[in-house]
Every structure is written in C-alpha cells, then in structure tokens.
Amino acid sequence: MSPTPFLPVVCVVGFHHARGPEIESWYGCEDGGDPAVDNDWSFLPFMALSDGSHTATEDFSYFTLRQRATSKGPARSLFGVSCTRQMDASELINRPADVTRSTVQKAVVVIADSPQFFGQLREKLSSVTRVWFAQKDFSDVEILKNFQESLGRNLQDAENDRDQYLGLSLRELIHEFKHQTLVLFKCCLLQPKMLFFGSHCERLCMMQFSLISLIPGLIRRLEDCAAPELDSIEKNLVMPTSLKSSDRSSLLAYMGLPLQIFGKGSLFGPYTPLQQLDTLADFGTKSYIVGSTNSLLLQQKDRYSDILINLDDSSISITSSSLRMALSLSPADRRWIDFLTQAINDTWDPENPTRPKTHGYMGSEEFIRLQFEEYLLALLSCTKYHLYLTTHSPSNPSLIDSHGNPSDPSADFSPDFITHWRSTLNFTLFDTHTSPHLFDIVEPRHPTAGGLSVEDINRRLTQQISDLHLDERLATSKEVLNKHLATGSKKVSTAFNTLWADIEAMREAQRKRQAEAAKQAYEASHGLNTSGNVTPRPTSPRDARVEKDSRPSSPTSINNLASFRARTPDISAAGQKAGAYLSSWGTWASERRKGWGRSAPGSPGSGSSGSGNSSVGSRKPSDGSGIGSRPLGRANVVGREPLRSPKKRASREEKGGDGIGRLDA
C-alpha cells in the first residue's frame, strides 16, 4: 500500500522561561489536530531550537520525524526544517504576561514528506520568519497561514522528476576535505555509526545532505531513514527487468541505484538533540548518520561513533580499526579524487564558492555529481565481476594477467573495502535485486585504473606538502622568532644600560671622592677654613714663589683643582687678591732696580747710595700706609745685604738684583 501524499504543515516553537522549548501552534492540520501528539513527536521542540541557536540572529535546523502508520498508509519518514530568530522583548507591541526574559526566541517549522525541495523552501521560510518578527506582534499569524497554503500549491506544481540540490554545495565539501571526501563517501556505503559535529547547525546539516546526495536518487528515497524499525523499501523492492540505455533513470534503476543505506536498523538525523541519545545507543540501531552541535558528544565519541567528523577543525577521527583499514584509499582511488580536487581548486572562487570562477562545466556541481556517479557505477560493475570471477573462469583472454591469473578490477577499489562492503545490508539488497551480469552494461574498470606511478608519487608529495601549509607555519614561526629576538634584544639593551649606568655612578662617586680629597688637601696646604675663606697671614715674595712651586703639577691634580675652583667662588676671590698682591710687588721691585741702576760703582753718588742703603735698611715696619712700610721680607733681605765690590754688585744687578730675575722684562 503506497502512502498518500503528505501536505506540508507549519508550526511555531517557542522557548518558555520555565518549561523550555514547546510547540505553541499548528497551521494546516486537518480538523485542528495536533500531529505532535498523534505521532509522539516529543523531541520536536528540541529539534527545532538547536543547541547554540540563541547565539545567532538567524539559524536553521534540519531533522527527521517518524509518522505512525494509519489507515491511509504505513509508517514513513517526514522531514522538518526550522528557522530560528530572536528579538528584544521590550520591542513587542503586545507583550504576553508569560514573557519574563529580556529576549524572545521562536522558530517557524515546516514539515514535509521529502527534503528534495528544501533548498528553495529555505529562502521562503527565512523571508516569512523575518517579516513575522518585524511585525513585533506574534498574535498576528495571518502571514503564517498564507505561507502554509502556498506550500501545498508550490510543491504539487513542482517538477517531481527533477532533483533539487540548492544549498547543498559539493564544491565546498571537496575543497574543505579534499581526498577525505572519497573516504566519507565510501564510509556511507559501509554503514557505520557516523557522527558529525559542528557549532553551526545549518552548515552541519547541509554537509550531511551533500554527502548522501552523491548517491544518485537517494535524496528522493528516504522513506525509512527516520527510525531504525522502518523497512518499507526492502519489503517493496523489486528487481528491474528492462533497460533503456538512452534513459538515465532506467540505467540507474537497472544498476541497483539508489543503494539503500538507510534501511532496517539505520537512522538519518541531520540534527539530533541530546534527548535522542537513547535511540542512538539502542541495540536495534546498527548504523546511522547524525549531527550534533553539543560538545558533550565529543567526550563520548568512542561510545556513539565509529567515525567522527568535526566540521569546526575539518578533521576526521576513525575509532574502529577495521573501518580504518577498509577506508584506506588505493592508488587508483587517490588518483581519481586528486583529479577531482585539482579541478575544484583550479576553479575556486572565494567570493562565490558554489560556482566555478570560469562559469564553465569543469568543477561545477553537476560535474562533481556525474564524476561520483561514474565512480559508483564502476564500483558496482567491478564488484559484480569480482563475484563472477569467484565462480567462473574468464573466457576473454584480455581478462587474464601476465601470470595467467584472472585480473580482478575490483582491486583498484581496495580489496579490504570490497570485503567489508559485502557484509552490509545495502550490498545484500543490491546483490539480490540486480542482474549478475551488470558488467556487460558498464565496463568493469576503475575510472583511473592502474598501479602506483611516479606521477602519483609526485602528485601525492605535492599535495602533502601543500596540506602542511609550510608557508603559513613558517610565517607564523618567523613572526614569533622576530618577536622573541626583539624581546631578547630589548632585555640585553636594558641590562647593558643598567650596567653602564652603574659604572657611571661608580665613576661619579669616585670623582666626587677625589674632588673632596683635593679640596681637603688644598684647604690644608693653603690655610683655608671650613667655610672656604682664606686665613690672613703675612706673606712675602719668597712665600709666593714657594706657594707657586708647591701647587700640584700632575694633569689629574690640575683638573681636580680646576673642578674644585669652579665649584668654590671664595677660593677664586682669594686667587684674585694674591694676583693683585704680586702685581704690586712687581711694581715696587721695578722701581727699586731703577734706583740701583743709578747708583752704579765709580759714580759720584756712591756714598749716597750707601747712605741710601743705610736708610733703606734703617726703615722699620710701619702700619702698612705705603710700599716701604709693608711687611715685606724681601725688602728686609735687600736692606740687610752686606756691602760688596762694584764688580760683584753689577753682576748681581744683571741677574735681577736680588736673584729673582729680571721682572721688568
């Protein structure tokens, strides 16, 4: 019994401050019923409001629901998409009494029977939700009612024979995961427990839809993906008996496509809340492809997954050793995916990742899908031929290798993978519902068949070096090194400056000590008191000469004395007084020499000269009123000079009279 068409319905899910997520209203239901109650959709509010959706202005969530069997049809899978938005509660025109939080968060949900048109449905849902929030009055739901009515008309008028993949970017998938994309594709065929994790819910769901859409026709045959107990496709599956080679749909059906990876014991949940963990851990759940935005699952990945795909850091972690061996790519596999990756990279446009920058066919979404379709058809044909070789000897000599053994083209797809795949449920359905001679329709040969060559090694080394991102890492390392060098240079400079400052301080202290010692020596030798003034005492020309000869003659002493004199103005004044004194003494001495010259020997006035000498010698020290009355020791010495012969006196005058030297010169 085929199920009746399901008309899309719309509901509103809100977040209550006390009860959490809850369904507020339904639109498009027959007789005003509540599908959540009728089908036990207790997890629907948690699927619509994903974890972390409150951090974004707008977010989308995709999920699956199981519809119970009714008199109109058997149990089947339904698909939901929700658009979540939030706004400030103070902006509401009619604020309900139960709104106690500062923000209001709601989701508008659309539930349909196929995700085939979710690409175009997303844009309409986003516009409707945005306009409804812009009204600032959630009691006005007329726009939601009109939206639900338009969904039924648009989906009925759509082209049912055409696949719709809007929003499922395969280019981004391959550009991000590169050769790991083929690993994920082959992993889907092995039906393990695949767990996708990502902090952005819409991107998380879109990546899963992109992956399963690589199997031709699967996006239209997901009737049994919402619950492990559903198996309607297996019960109703029949073996095709006719083939139209000119009809692509007929060819795919004859080759056993789509492969039913979501059958008995399998589950598909693009977004799966934590409330469904019991379903994942149930004994009847053998395999699944699910996604989560809650990081708690990362801590329990060994329990809930055989392979974990982390979209936040683009990493793949395979926890099962047998699965890891089966997913090892053969040289032909690596050559094929490298070719596809290179085609994407050569046409990559960062501003528009979904389309090639050349706007051509190479690297486009359709090009990628046809490449995977060719790869999958070759895999099916080679596997059938592998089964044929196990029971029959090849009659075609071209199928015999150089050693006389039948060549098995399935080896290019990895023997471990073929062995593992033959134990899955989807392979059993494929093998029992297809002709054993499919290799007569499609050539049993890998698209890039052949062993490992030098070109493969060079290409793989180039790709591995590129994956290391050495330029980026070296740039980062260089920046860090320069930063450390600058910091070290600054520290060394600071230490050197500190050391130099300490040396200068020591030198300055030493100079101060030397200046102080010179000052003390100067004061001690010149009779300076503690205040720096000169102590008066009688002096004579002989004392002045002795004082002159006793001054320090070394450069260091002279410099220290000059520095000291510059800092002591009283000593400078004393020096000026001493200079004036010496000048006056020189004037007096010059006058005396003139007098001695006039009293030369043999002159008539020699006696007077002698009397003059007597008079000079007879002078006594006075109170300092004149030059003759000054207490000059030199004058006294001259006055006491004994009488000499005229010749000796003339010789003495040539020397300066009193031995001091010719001062008048």
Side-chain angles (χ1 to χ4, degrees), residues 46 73 181 183 199-200 217 237 255 357 368 415 460 530 568 619:
F46 301 96
T181 306
V183 175
S199 56
H200 189 253
L237 189 63
M255 295 294 296
K357 62 181 180 181
I368 296 173
R460 188 171 303 179
T530 56
T568 55
R619 291 179 182 177

Side-chain angles (χ1 to χ4, degrees), residues 476-501:
T476 304
S477 302
K478 184 178 180 181
E479 181 180 356
V480 174
L481 180 60
N482 291 336
K483 182 178 179 181
H484 286 303
L485 287 177
T487 304
S489 177
K490 184 177 180 181
K491 291 181 178 179
V492 172
S493 178
T494 303
F496 181 78
N497 292 337
T498 303
L499 178 61
W500 187 257

Side-chain angles (χ1 to χ4, degrees), residues 540-542 545 580-598 616 619 627-628 630 632-636 638 652-653 655-665:
S540 64
R542 183 186 299 273
R545 186 174 70 248
Y581 168 75
L582 292 176
S583 177
S584 63
W585 183 87
T587 303
W588 175 84
S590 179
E591 292 177 355
R592 296 297 300 173
R593 282 196 303 271
K594 290 179 181 180
W596 293 334
R598 288 194 298 270
V616 171
R619 291 179 182 177
I627 299 176
R630 294 177 182 176
L632 297 177
R634 180 62 61 182
N636 296 333
V638 175
R652 186 172 182 81
E653 288 178 356
K655 295 180 180 179
D658 55 353
I660 297 176
R662 300 180 63 86
L663 298 176
D664 56 332

Side-chain angles (χ1 to χ4, degrees), residues 267-287:
L267 174 67
F268 176 50
Y271 174 70
T272 303
L274 294 181
Q275 287 74 12
Q276 277 190 297
L277 290 182
D278 292 340
T279 303
L280 301 182
D282 189 75
F283 179 78
T285 306
K286 305 299 183 182
S287 67

